[in-house]
Amino acid sequence: MAKVSLKKKEQLIDRIKHGIKKYSFSIQRYGGETVMGTITPYQYHYWKNREQELTDYVMGFDRATYEKEHNIPEEAKMRDWYDINDVAHVTGAPVESANFLHIDESDQHGAPILNANGSYKMWEPIELSMDNIHKLGIQLEDAECIDVDHPSLVNEYYFWGSTSNKGGWTTESLMDIEGDLDLKKLKIHYKQIEGSDIGYAISYGDGEPLNLQEDSSGNSQQCYVREGCMNEETMSKKLKKEIARAEAEAEAPQPDTDTVEEEDANEPPAPSMEEQIRWMEQENKKAAQESKKKSKKKKAKGKKKK
């Protein structure tokens, strides 16, 4: 009769006690939502030197009010930042040394597992530096690079926007894993957007990836517009004309509406109709008095001559 190793015995006992165990995976500390999308030449040339104003506009609370108060040209108006996403849209956390992977293990019923001494079984947080990931054998999947050289950005202008929050990004449901968890079968799915490796899903073995859901607090925001990979040889004549017009019109100085409003505020209010009539009556009265004085002077001179 073949001997059974101690490890296999322990695995069998563990399977009988806990069944197929359930796992939850969470990347914690920093993360957020990131988008990239194409924009028009006019939008690019209007906003390219107005980065803070653009952030206030598309990532603020009321775009319509901002457009009215700041007299934004019709062609420069933008959608809500999270809707400018025809190139990329990812919610997740960066795969970097500042973040840690947390693993929660439970039995087949979702209850915590106890060690022999009665304490809860817990995994040490795993630092997500590239060196540590490679050392542990964790796999990185779907490493699509999305930046200025992306095929969708040839002869295009684009918008990039991102929020940065503090919290956790956790798999959307529990993952069933038979036997002991093997980190070499664990996969972090990520996309590299403008140089940032953003983990957005986790899978195990041949299983389907589970998207990460955000639970965070705080919110710092940033956005900008950029020029894509421009190639004049493949650029259409129509696009060249649009770019030339945008450069001439969108970059022209805009009237300072705040200054105009201040100047108008310093001017005295226009007189009412009653005030205008009263003023005319006073002027007519003055003119009549002046006429009487002149007439008296002429009469006095005539008497002296006689």
Side-chain angles (χ1 to χ4, degrees), residues 97-112:
S97 59
N99 280 341
F100 291 81
L101 177 65
H102 291 249
I103 302 173
D104 289 332
E105 183 178 350
S106 57
D107 66 16
Q108 59 188 326
H109 304 295

PDB file of all heavy atoms in Angstrom, residues 97-112:
ATOM      1  N   SER A  97       4.989  49.637  -5.159  1.00  0.00           N
ATOM      2  CA  SER A  97       5.440  49.317  -3.796  1.00  0.00           C
ATOM      3  C   SER A  97       4.614  50.001  -2.711  1.00  0.00           C
ATOM      4  O   SER A  97       4.594  49.538  -1.567  1.00  0.00           O
ATOM      5  CB  SER A  97       6.920  49.703  -3.638  1.00  0.00           C
ATOM      6  OG  SER A  97       7.104  51.086  -3.884  1.00  0.00           O
ATOM      7  N   ALA A  98       3.914  51.088  -3.053  1.00  0.00           N
ATOM      8  CA  ALA A  98       3.093  51.788  -2.048  1.00  0.00           C
ATOM      9  C   ALA A  98       1.819  51.025  -1.709  1.00  0.00           C
ATOM     10  O   ALA A  98       1.174  51.291  -0.688  1.00  0.00           O
ATOM     11  CB  ALA A  98       2.748  53.188  -2.540  1.00  0.00           C
ATOM     12  N   ASN A  99       1.450  50.054  -2.545  1.00  0.00           N
ATOM     13  CA  ASN A  99       0.210  49.295  -2.335  1.00  0.00           C
ATOM     14  C   ASN A  99       0.488  47.854  -1.907  1.00  0.00           C
ATOM     15  O   ASN A  99       1.559  47.308  -2.204  1.00  0.00           O
ATOM     16  CB  ASN A  99      -0.630  49.290  -3.614  1.00  0.00           C
ATOM     17  CG  ASN A  99      -1.400  50.586  -3.786  1.00  0.00           C
ATOM     18  OD1 ASN A  99      -1.594  51.336  -2.837  1.00  0.00           O
ATOM     19  ND2 ASN A  99      -1.848  50.856  -4.999  1.00  0.00           N
ATOM     20  N   PHE A 100      -0.510  47.267  -1.236  1.00  0.00           N
ATOM     21  CA  PHE A 100      -0.367  45.899  -0.715  1.00  0.00           C
ATOM     22  C   PHE A 100      -1.582  45.059  -1.103  1.00  0.00           C
ATOM     23  O   PHE A 100      -2.718  45.546  -1.099  1.00  0.00           O
ATOM     24  CB  PHE A 100      -0.223  45.926   0.811  1.00  0.00           C
ATOM     25  CG  PHE A 100       1.084  46.507   1.283  1.00  0.00           C
ATOM     26  CD1 PHE A 100       1.259  47.885   1.351  1.00  0.00           C
ATOM     27  CD2 PHE A 100       2.141  45.681   1.633  1.00  0.00           C
ATOM     28  CE1 PHE A 100       2.464  48.429   1.781  1.00  0.00           C
ATOM     29  CE2 PHE A 100       3.345  46.222   2.055  1.00  0.00           C
ATOM     30  CZ  PHE A 100       3.513  47.592   2.129  1.00  0.00           C
ATOM     31  N   LEU A 101      -1.311  43.787  -1.389  1.00  0.00           N
ATOM     32  CA  LEU A 101      -2.373  42.834  -1.673  1.00  0.00           C
ATOM     33  C   LEU A 101      -2.773  42.144  -0.376  1.00  0.00           C
ATOM     34  O   LEU A 101      -1.944  41.536   0.302  1.00  0.00           O
ATOM     35  CB  LEU A 101      -1.906  41.803  -2.694  1.00  0.00           C
ATOM     36  CG  LEU A 101      -2.913  40.685  -3.035  1.00  0.00           C
ATOM     37  CD1 LEU A 101      -4.139  41.265  -3.732  1.00  0.00           C
ATOM     38  CD2 LEU A 101      -2.257  39.607  -3.886  1.00  0.00           C
ATOM     39  N   HIS A 102      -4.045  42.221  -0.023  1.00  0.00           N
ATOM     40  CA  HIS A 102      -4.581  41.575   1.178  1.00  0.00           C
ATOM     41  C   HIS A 102      -5.425  40.375   0.754  1.00  0.00           C
ATOM     42  O   HIS A 102      -6.215  40.467  -0.185  1.00  0.00           O
ATOM     43  CB  HIS A 102      -5.432  42.555   1.984  1.00  0.00           C
ATOM     44  CG  HIS A 102      -4.640  43.645   2.621  1.00  0.00           C
ATOM     45  ND1 HIS A 102      -4.464  43.737   3.989  1.00  0.00           N
ATOM     46  CD2 HIS A 102      -3.947  44.683   2.088  1.00  0.00           C
ATOM     47  CE1 HIS A 102      -3.718  44.793   4.275  1.00  0.00           C
ATOM     48  NE2 HIS A 102      -3.397  45.380   3.134  1.00  0.00           N
ATOM     49  N   ILE A 103      -5.257  39.264   1.480  1.00  0.00           N
ATOM     50  CA  ILE A 103      -5.977  38.022   1.172  1.00  0.00           C
ATOM     51  C   ILE A 103      -6.775  37.596   2.401  1.00  0.00           C
ATOM     52  O   ILE A 103      -6.216  37.440   3.489  1.00  0.00           O
ATOM     53  CB  ILE A 103      -5.006  36.898   0.768  1.00  0.00           C
ATOM     54  CG1 ILE A 103      -4.168  37.334  -0.437  1.00  0.00           C
ATOM     55  CG2 ILE A 103      -5.767  35.612   0.462  1.00  0.00           C
ATOM     56  CD1 ILE A 103      -3.070  36.347  -0.805  1.00  0.00           C
ATOM     57  N   ASP A 104      -8.084  37.419   2.212  1.00  0.00           N
ATOM     58  CA  ASP A 104      -8.956  36.914   3.281  1.00  0.00           C
ATOM     59  C   ASP A 104      -9.418  35.508   2.898  1.00  0.00           C
ATOM     60  O   ASP A 104      -9.973  35.305   1.808  1.00  0.00           O
ATOM     61  CB  ASP A 104     -10.173  37.819   3.477  1.00  0.00           C
ATOM     62  CG  ASP A 104      -9.797  39.147   4.115  1.00  0.00           C
ATOM     63  OD1 ASP A 104      -8.800  39.170   4.865  1.00  0.00           O
ATOM     64  OD2 ASP A 104     -10.480  40.153   3.841  1.00  0.00           O
ATOM     65  N   GLU A 105      -9.201  34.557   3.807  1.00  0.00           N
ATOM     66  CA  GLU A 105      -9.520  33.151   3.560  1.00  0.00           C
ATOM     67  C   GLU A 105     -10.642  32.713   4.489  1.00  0.00           C
ATOM     68  O   GLU A 105     -10.631  33.018   5.686  1.00  0.00           O
ATOM     69  CB  GLU A 105      -8.267  32.303   3.789  1.00  0.00           C
ATOM     70  CG  GLU A 105      -8.441  30.826   3.499  1.00  0.00           C
ATOM     71  CD  GLU A 105      -7.127  30.062   3.698  1.00  0.00           C
ATOM     72  OE1 GLU A 105      -6.066  30.713   3.871  1.00  0.00           O
ATOM     73  OE2 GLU A 105      -7.172  28.817   3.695  1.00  0.00           O
ATOM     74  N   SER A 106     -11.640  31.995   3.946  1.00  0.00           N
ATOM     75  CA  SER A 106     -12.760  31.498   4.762  1.00  0.00           C
ATOM     76  C   SER A 106     -13.151  30.098   4.293  1.00  0.00           C
ATOM     77  O   SER A 106     -12.714  29.623   3.246  1.00  0.00           O
ATOM     78  CB  SER A 106     -13.959  32.449   4.666  1.00  0.00           C
ATOM     79  OG  SER A 106     -14.354  32.618   3.319  1.00  0.00           O
ATOM     80  N   ASP A 107     -13.968  29.409   5.116  1.00  0.00           N
ATOM     81  CA  ASP A 107     -14.368  28.044   4.751  1.00  0.00           C
ATOM     82  C   ASP A 107     -15.485  28.060   3.706  1.00  0.00           C
ATOM     83  O   ASP A 107     -15.877  29.130   3.210  1.00  0.00           O
ATOM     84  CB  ASP A 107     -14.767  27.248   5.990  1.00  0.00           C
ATOM     85  CG  ASP A 107     -16.029  27.779   6.660  1.00  0.00           C
ATOM     86  OD1 ASP A 107     -16.769  28.560   6.022  1.00  0.00           O
ATOM     87  OD2 ASP A 107     -16.286  27.418   7.824  1.00  0.00           O
ATOM     88  N   GLN A 108     -16.024  26.878   3.403  1.00  0.00           N
ATOM     89  CA  GLN A 108     -17.027  26.757   2.347  1.00  0.00           C
ATOM     90  C   GLN A 108     -18.297  27.549   2.633  1.00  0.00           C
ATOM     91  O   GLN A 108     -19.077  27.863   1.718  1.00  0.00           O
ATOM     92  CB  GLN A 108     -17.386  25.290   2.149  1.00  0.00           C
ATOM     93  CG  GLN A 108     -17.925  24.625   3.407  1.00  0.00           C
ATOM     94  CD  GLN A 108     -18.095  23.128   3.242  1.00  0.00           C
ATOM     95  OE1 GLN A 108     -18.417  22.658   2.147  1.00  0.00           O
ATOM     96  NE2 GLN A 108     -17.863  22.372   4.301  1.00  0.00           N
ATOM     97  N   HIS A 109     -18.512  27.900   3.890  1.00  0.00           N
ATOM     98  CA  HIS A 109     -19.695  28.669   4.272  1.00  0.00           C
ATOM     99  C   HIS A 109     -19.395  30.164   4.418  1.00  0.00           C
ATOM    100  O   HIS A 109     -20.281  30.940   4.776  1.00  0.00           O
ATOM    101  CB  HIS A 109     -20.251  28.140   5.599  1.00  0.00           C
ATOM    102  CG  HIS A 109     -20.568  26.677   5.570  1.00  0.00           C
ATOM    103  ND1 HIS A 109     -21.547  26.133   4.761  1.00  0.00           N
ATOM    104  CD2 HIS A 109     -19.999  25.626   6.236  1.00  0.00           C
ATOM    105  CE1 HIS A 109     -21.586  24.820   4.925  1.00  0.00           C
ATOM    106  NE2 HIS A 109     -20.672  24.482   5.812  1.00  0.00           N
ATOM    107  N   GLY A 110     -18.146  30.546   4.174  1.00  0.00           N
ATOM    108  CA  GLY A 110     -17.761  31.950   4.299  1.00  0.00           C
ATOM    109  C   GLY A 110     -17.359  32.348   5.700  1.00  0.00           C
ATOM    110  O   GLY A 110     -17.165  33.543   5.984  1.00  0.00           O
ATOM    111  N   ALA A 111     -17.211  31.376   6.598  1.00  0.00           N
ATOM    112  CA  ALA A 111     -16.813  31.658   7.984  1.00  0.00           C
ATOM    113  C   ALA A 111     -15.290  31.677   8.102  1.00  0.00           C
ATOM    114  O   ALA A 111     -14.598  30.934   7.395  1.00  0.00           O
ATOM    115  CB  ALA A 111     -17.399  30.609   8.917  1.00  0.00           C
ATOM    116  N   PRO A 112     -14.731  32.506   9.003  1.00  0.00           N
ATOM    117  CA  PRO A 112     -13.276  32.558   9.178  1.00  0.00           C
ATOM    118  C   PRO A 112     -12.719  31.196   9.605  1.00  0.00           C
ATOM    119  O   PRO A 112     -13.390  30.409  10.280  1.00  0.00           O
ATOM    120  CB  PRO A 112     -13.099  33.590  10.298  1.00  0.00           C
ATOM    121  CG  PRO A 112     -14.357  34.399  10.294  1.00  0.00           C
ATOM    122  CD  PRO A 112     -15.434  33.459   9.872  1.00  0.00           C
TER     123      PRO A 112
END
